[in-house]
Amino acid sequence: MKVLYSLILVAMELILAFTISRTMERARRNLTLAKKARVMLTAAFFTVLPNIFIASTSPSWAYADSLVSFLFFFYFSSIDILLFYVLYFCVEYSFPNGIAEKNFFRAVVLFFRDDLLKIAKPKEQKTSWFEKAMILLFIIIIVDIFNLVSNFWSGEVFQIERSYYAGMFFEPDVFFRTVPGWSFDLHLALCYLLISLSIFFLIYKTAVAPAIYKIKYITAILQISFIVILNGFYIFFELPVDFSVLFYSLFSASFYYFAFIYIPSFLRQVTVQRVMQGMDNGIAIFDDEDQCIYANDYIREIYRIKPNQNPMDVIQPVIKRIADGRSLKEMNAKEETIHRIIDDKELFYRMTFYTIEAKDKKYIGSYLIIVDTTEENNHEKVERFRSTHDPLTGLYNKQHFYDCVADMLEANPDEKYFIVCCDVGKFKLINEFSGIAVGDKILKSFAQALKEKTVIGEVYGRIDNDRFAILIPKDRLNLQLFIDESQRIFKETVNLSILPTCYFGVYEIEDTDMRVSFMCDRAFIAIDTIKGQYRKQVAWYDSKLRDSALREQQLVYQLPEAISTGQIKIYLQPQSTIEGKAVGAEALVRWEHPDEGIVSPSEFIPIFEKNGMITKIDRYVWRLVFQKLFEWKTAGRDDFYISVNISPKDFYLMSIMNEFNDLLSEFDIDPKNLHIELSEDVMMGDLERQIKLIEQLRKIGFTIEIGDFGTGNTSLKILRECNIDILKVDIGFLQDTSSPRNAHIIMKELIQMARNLGMKILAKGIESKDQMDLLHDEGCELFQGYYFSKPIDTKSFERIYL
């Protein structure tokens, strides 16, 4: 019997060792519960181990009693540690990632290193109440172990007793037992306290957990309780062998299986089934023998399957039709529409069939998903209309217009056509002053006019916002009709003293293979040449515009190479005091083309502003400026600043804060030596957002300038809302007017207001001493213009001013 018992214990240890290795795999994935289980299982391994040797020890051996006494000491001590970690595991099992998540030994370190020093400051405690309680229990365990150690010299904790036992299923033999002393009760009380706490947490979690999760905790309670009962039999009936030790391994392996495999799998199955049951779609699942093993209520409702009826009886004909006489595993994914009449209602369903494969690509089943598409089918025409028409006007939308024009051109290759595009001038002002409802009414009126004035063979559509387009045969083109209709619509709709203007661009189609979007682009390019001219409403796309477009494409194509090869450079124009001393400069971009020489900024800047590529230039210019400031600082000249400009497009196509922060990290410069100039056009876009950006830039240390101050329509609002360091006023404000006296008074008052707000004033465009003296008398402190210097390259600037 003792030999068999020992062999069984060895087998249990092997099971335990295997379970520990499986747990370590999960622990390496940083699963907190797996880490707790690993420690618990290791403690269980060392708890079972001494019992193997106890059962294998022969009473005839020399010093057998001493050896068995030591093994029992090892066993009792291991039980303390095991039950301690069983409690730790049960708490983490009941409250994942909660009060037991932290590593115990780390909690001990934190407690003795920090908490004892801050015992009167509960908010600063590093360990939780649970961890403090576990530390206290661990201290009690250490006391108990010392108590067990004292048995070696006192013999008062327990004694080894040899007992002859025969009967039941025990063969006649001498067994070793312990005779507990009075202090052994401390060990028993501690063990049952730890067990009780473990069961308490599991029972509490069982009580509060949803019904489907209760099985997680009930299984653990039953396993722990079974071991306690077996141990009770051993103690109270004085059995020769503690069979509960056998179940330490089984319990640990079972705990692992239930905690990490069976229960998660079971809960996943239940959860998935409930999810499928609550789906708004029908689902039926088939096994590898084409038998229906599950059908949710939705699919039962579709096919009128009764609760006690086998779904396969109804679904089998559907499966046969889908499979066309084949096995389901031979099928590929398939989709079809089902049409049924239920309660005199015509219903449509989309049925999709899928096969299911295991990881080894072997067929394990299949499933059907049935989706109610009745509403979708009923609204199919509406959806098709929405996908091809503009919702406001009912005209073709942009893409469908392009498609229809392409089809028309392909169907009539010998017909000559024009693309006519129209654009309502300053349509945003109509929405702002007259309201969006009036703007929408205008657009609808335009659409109605197109519908009424066009005939078969013409295609029309709304391209974008206030832009429309029409394909019209060459012999039917009547632009005056479009002009008259637009004026009539404005007179009947808009209550403004000055009526808006509708501009028309005409492109004659010569290459029918060209993309229709390009044709419209060319018509709109023509419109751009006359916008703002109230006496001219029609523009034709011609060779001059084509050359301009080609030039634009050329510059766009060459820009990346120009940046990479250093053709894009910064020129500096000094900013000086009244005495003529240069204190800084404005960085202006120049393109030194290897073949064309200097490409005028007035040529390429508007192009790149329009297409958004200005951000590439600005980003490159900023880098050059940061690099130059860093060179000056390294040379000991960090008393000069450089001012850079921000384009309106930069705010929408990049993160300005990130750009400047990255450059500041790369180049160690003083932020005050970089001035950032914002124009009033920039501020008009989204003033609240720009104010926030200004404050962020000023907080870093950059100096903020507002350029062309006084030329926009938000000057006073900027003064009121923004914290600006420098205002730049343009001398042109005083010159380009028929009322110089009024301009002078306005400029004087604006400058005075800015000075009262603590801002410096910089005058731009100074070409003579008289202009400088005049603005200096009004309060300007810094000056920039040809009177001092035109923009010059950096080497010339450094030679003259540094």
Side-chain angles (χ1 to χ4, degrees):
M1 177 60 191
K2 291 176 64 174
V3 175
L4 178 61
Y5 181 64
S6 299
L7 292 175
I8 294 174
L9 287 176
V10 171
M12 293 299 101
E13 286 288 74
L14 293 175
I15 293 173
L16 198 52
F18 173 74
T19 308
I20 292 172
S21 67
R22 295 296 302 273
T23 309
M24 291 179 69
E25 293 177 9
R26 294 179 178 270
R28 278 193 289 269
R29 287 183 252 160
N30 291 323
L31 297 177
T32 303
L33 184 62
K35 292 179 180 179
K36 298 289 187 298
R38 178 185 59 188
V39 178
M40 180 187 71
L41 294 173
T42 304
F45 181 88
F46 287 103
T47 302
V48 176
L49 186 62
N51 285 275
I52 297 175
F53 295 104
I54 292 173
S56 304
T57 302
S58 172
S60 62
W61 292 358
Y63 305 107
D65 290 350
S66 298
L67 175 61
V68 171
S69 179
F70 171 77
L71 292 173
F72 271 113
F73 157 75
F74 191 90
Y75 168 55
F76 294 144
S77 301
S78 298
I79 283 181
D80 285 351
I81 303 300
L82 170 61
L83 294 179
F84 177 80
Y85 278 105
V86 167
L87 173 58
Y88 227 92
F89 177 84
C90 288
V91 175
E92 175 63 25
Y93 187 59
S94 301
F95 306 96
N97 302 316
I99 59 176
E101 179 183 17
K102 194 183 300 179
N103 178 275
F104 173 69
F105 289 105
R106 181 169 179 266
V108 172
V109 171
L110 291 175
F111 176 76
F112 285 101
R113 190 188 69 187
D114 299 328
D115 286 5
L116 286 180
L117 300 177
K118 299 176 181 178
I119 200 163
K121 299 178 180 179
K123 291 186 178 179
E124 299 183 20
Q125 299 290 296
K126 297 295 180 67
T127 52
S128 66
W129 64 267
F130 171 78
E131 289 164 338
K132 289 182 175 64
M134 293 301 290
I135 291 171
L136 177 59
L137 285 173
F138 194 74
I139 293 172
I140 297 174
I141 288 172
I142 293 174
V143 172
D144 184 47
I145 292 174
F146 274 112
N147 179 49
L148 293 170
V149 168
S150 69
N151 190 69
F152 289 114
W153 59 82
S154 69
E156 295 181 356
V157 182
F158 65 87
Q159 294 180 356
I160 301 301
E161 178 185 69
R162 301 183 184 196
S163 60
Y164 179 82
Y165 203 94
M168 296 176 62
F169 43 82
F170 293 99
E171 295 181 4
D173 206 339
V174 177
F175 295 87
F176 290 101
R177 279 184 55 87
T178 58
V179 178
W182 66 269
S183 61
F184 191 76
D185 292 340
L186 171 63
H187 171 72
L188 289 178
L190 177 60
C191 290
Y192 282 106
L193 172 63
L194 293 172
I195 291 172
S196 300
L197 289 174
S198 300
I199 294 177
F200 168 77
F201 281 107
L202 292 171
I203 290 176
Y204 173 78
K205 190 62 178 180
T206 303
V208 299
I212 64 170
Y213 291 100
K214 292 184 186 296
I215 189 174
K216 284 182 60 177
Y217 312 107
I218 292 174
T219 54
I221 293 171
L222 292 176
Q223 291 177 83
I224 295 175
S225 300
F226 181 71
I227 292 178
V228 172
I229 292 171
L230 283 180
N231 184 256
F233 272 99
Y234 169 71
I235 294 173
F236 294 109
F237 293 99
E238 298 183 353
L239 296 177
V241 174
D242 184 0
F243 287 108
S244 67
V245 176
L246 290 174
F247 289 90
Y248 288 161
S249 297
L250 290 176
F251 162 73
S252 301
S254 174
F255 226 5
Y256 169 82
Y257 174 75
F258 275 95
F260 294 100
I261 300 176
Y262 177 76
I263 297 297
S265 176
F266 171 76
L267 292 177
R268 279 196 300 270
Q269 181 180 352
V270 172
T271 304
V272 169
Q273 185 172 341
R274 293 201 176 190
V275 169
M276 290 190 297
Q277 191 62 38
M279 288 175 60
D280 290 335
N281 305 325
I283 182 167
I285 303 176
F286 307 91
D287 62 15
D288 59 342
E289 296 180 355
D290 298 350
Q291 296 297 308
C292 181
I293 58 176
Y294 176 79
N296 65 357
D297 288 345
Y298 193 93
I299 205 168
R300 288 175 174 271
E301 180 180 347
I302 293 173
Y303 287 100
R304 290 294 192 264
I305 302 174
K306 298 178 181 179
N308 58 349
Q309 187 178 9
N310 186 353
M312 200 61 188
D313 296 339
V314 179
I315 300 177
Q316 188 67 42
V318 179
I319 299 304
K320 287 184 177 179
R321 179 175 52 78
I322 292 176
D324 194 22
R326 295 174 292 172
S327 172
L328 291 182
K329 64 181 178 182
E330 300 173 0
M331 294 285 295
N332 295 320
K334 184 176 182 180
E335 181 177 303
E336 66 177 43
T337 299
I338 302 173
H339 178 210
R340 293 180 61 80
I341 304 295
I342 299 178
D343 296 335
D344 297 328
K345 292 183 179 179
E346 188 177 31
L347 302 175
F348 293 87
Y349 298 94
R350 181 172 60 251
M351 181 172 64
T352 311
F353 172 82
Y354 300 94
T355 58
I356 309 171
E357 294 180 344
K359 291 183 179 180
D360 57 2
K361 301 298 182 181
K362 290 185 178 179
Y363 175 80
I364 59 175
S366 56
Y367 65 98
L368 285 177
I369 292 182
I370 300 180
V371 181
D372 188 348
T373 59
T374 303
E375 185 176 353
E376 176 184 335
N377 190 79
N378 292 340
H379 293 284
E380 185 176 351
K381 292 183 180 179
V382 175
E383 291 302 323
R384 279 203 302 266
F385 181 86
R386 289 177 179 175
S387 67
T388 57
H389 289 70
D390 172 59
L392 177 66
T393 63
L395 303 183
Y396 287 160
N397 59 26
K398 178 169 63 177
Q399 188 57 53
H400 195 57
F401 172 78
Y402 292 163
D403 294 340
C404 290
V405 169
D407 293 342
M408 182 69 73
L409 294 177
E410 183 179 359
N412 301 278
D414 298 328
E415 185 80 44
K416 294 296 182 181
Y417 288 96
F418 286 108
I419 286 283
V420 180
C421 294
C422 65
D423 188 339
V424 180
K426 298 185 177 179
F427 185 74
K428 290 182 180 178
L429 293 179
I430 297 176
N431 283 332
E432 182 176 347
F433 291 107
S434 299
I436 295 178
V438 174
D440 289 347
K441 185 177 180 180
I442 291 174
L443 297 177
K444 292 178 182 178
S445 298
F446 265 98
Q448 187 61 33
L450 285 175
K451 294 175 183 177
E452 293 175 354
K453 302 300 179 182
T454 53
V455 297
I456 296 176
E458 300 174 356
V459 182
Y460 48 85
R462 185 186 180 191
I463 302 302
D464 182 31
N465 294 331
D466 58 328
R467 292 183 162 195
F468 297 85
I470 181 172
L471 174 74
I472 189 168
K474 187 174 183 178
D475 57 4
R476 275 191 43 81
L477 181 63
N478 183 355
L479 292 173
Q480 190 59 48
L481 176 64
F482 291 122
I483 294 172
D484 293 343
E485 280 298 308
S486 66
Q487 290 176 344
R488 178 188 65 79
I489 292 171
F490 286 138
K491 288 179 181 178
E492 295 177 355
T493 311
V494 183
N495 185 21
L496 294 174
S497 57
I498 300 178
L499 293 177
T501 302
C502 192
Y503 301 98
F504 298 91
V506 185
Y507 172 71
E508 183 176 0
I509 300 175
E510 298 175 349
D511 180 9
T512 57
D513 292 329
M514 179 187 294
R515 292 174 59 179
V516 178
S517 60
F518 290 169
M519 300 177 188
C520 293
D521 288 343
R522 294 189 173 188
F524 284 119
I525 288 173
I527 290 176
D528 289 341
T529 64
I530 60 172
K531 264 197 170 181
Q533 302 179 33
Y534 293 100
R535 296 183 180 179
K536 193 170 184 181
Q537 292 182 251
V538 178
W540 294 71
Y541 184 86
D542 55 17
S543 59
K544 182 179 179 180
L545 289 177
R546 181 172 60 251
D547 293 342
S548 176
L550 291 175
R551 175 58 171 168
E552 178 177 332
Q553 292 178 1
Q554 179 187 19
L555 293 177
V556 168
Y557 175 76
Q558 293 178 347
L559 179 62
E561 182 181 359
I563 292 177
S564 63
T565 57
Q567 299 175 32
I568 303 298
K569 300 181 181 298
I570 56 169
Y571 276 42
L572 300 177
Q573 187 174 29
Q575 296 178 348
S576 307
T577 64
I578 187 67
E579 295 81 11
K581 178 185 177 182
V583 293
E586 179 180 3
L588 300 168
V589 64
R590 294 294 183 268
W591 187 340
E592 295 182 358
H593 197 283
D595 300 323
E596 302 179 24
I598 298 294
V599 179
S600 173
S602 62
E603 179 182 8
F604 68 83
I605 291 294
I607 292 173
F608 297 135
E609 283 277 8
K610 181 175 65 175
N611 63 21
M613 293 180 71
I614 191 65
T615 58
K616 294 185 178 180
I617 295 179
D618 285 346
R619 186 181 283 114
Y620 182 68
V621 166
W622 298 341
R623 169 171 285 277
L624 293 178
V625 169
F626 269 84
Q627 186 175 3
K628 183 56 63 179
L629 287 172
F630 179 72
E631 291 175 6
W632 290 354
K633 178 182 178 181
T634 304
R637 293 306 307 269
D638 59 350
D639 54 338
F640 263 70
Y641 67 81
I642 299 180
S643 174
V644 297
N645 290 277
I646 294 182
S647 165
K649 290 289 179 68
D650 293 338
F651 283 91
Y652 301 99
L653 299 179
M654 71 168 77
S655 172
I656 293 176
M657 276 299 301
N658 289 344
E659 295 291 336
F660 280 105
N661 275 327
D662 290 345
L663 289 170
L664 198 58
S665 299
E666 183 177 353
F667 299 99
D668 182 20
I669 69 167
D670 190 339
K672 68 180 177 60
N673 289 333
L674 183 78
H675 289 203
I676 300 175
E677 180 180 334
L678 308 171
S679 68
E680 283 196 59
D681 289 341
V682 170
M683 303 301 294
M684 287 175 63
D686 186 346
L687 185 57
E688 183 177 346
R689 178 186 175 194
Q690 312 326 23
I691 290 172
K692 183 178 180 181
L693 176 64
I694 287 173
E695 291 304 317
Q696 291 174 332
L697 293 171
R698 292 184 81 245
K699 188 175 181 180
I700 294 174
F702 297 123
T703 301
I704 306 299
E705 302 177 356
I706 292 294
D708 301 327
F709 178 69
T711 59
N713 59 8
T714 61
S715 300
L716 293 178
K717 193 170 184 179
I718 293 173
L719 284 179
R720 185 187 69 185
E721 302 291 343
C722 302
N723 292 318
I724 304 300
D725 299 300
I726 297 176
L727 291 184
K728 294 182 72 172
V729 296
D730 196 323
I731 190 66
F733 183 79
L734 300 178
Q735 297 174 330
D736 301 335
T737 178
S738 58
S739 303
R741 178 177 175 276
N742 293 348
H744 182 81
I745 293 172
I746 294 171
M747 179 65 74
K748 179 180 178 180
E749 295 301 326
L750 288 175
I751 290 174
Q752 187 58 46
M753 279 192 295
R755 284 175 59 83
N756 291 340
L757 293 171
M759 304 175 191
K760 289 185 178 181
I761 312 300
L762 187 152
K764 177 182 175 183
I766 302 300
E767 297 182 352
S768 67
K769 186 176 185 304
D770 291 341
Q771 293 175 340
M772 180 179 66
D773 291 338
L774 173 64
L775 289 175
H776 179 260
D777 292 340
E778 302 299 345
C780 291
E781 304 167 68
L782 298 173
F783 305 90
Q784 176 183 342
Y786 277 35
Y787 174 68
F788 299 96
S789 171
K790 66 179 181 179
I792 55 178
D793 62 79
T794 55
K795 290 184 178 179
S796 300
F797 183 90
E798 292 169 345
R799 186 178 65 252
I800 297 172
Y801 296 102
L802 296 184

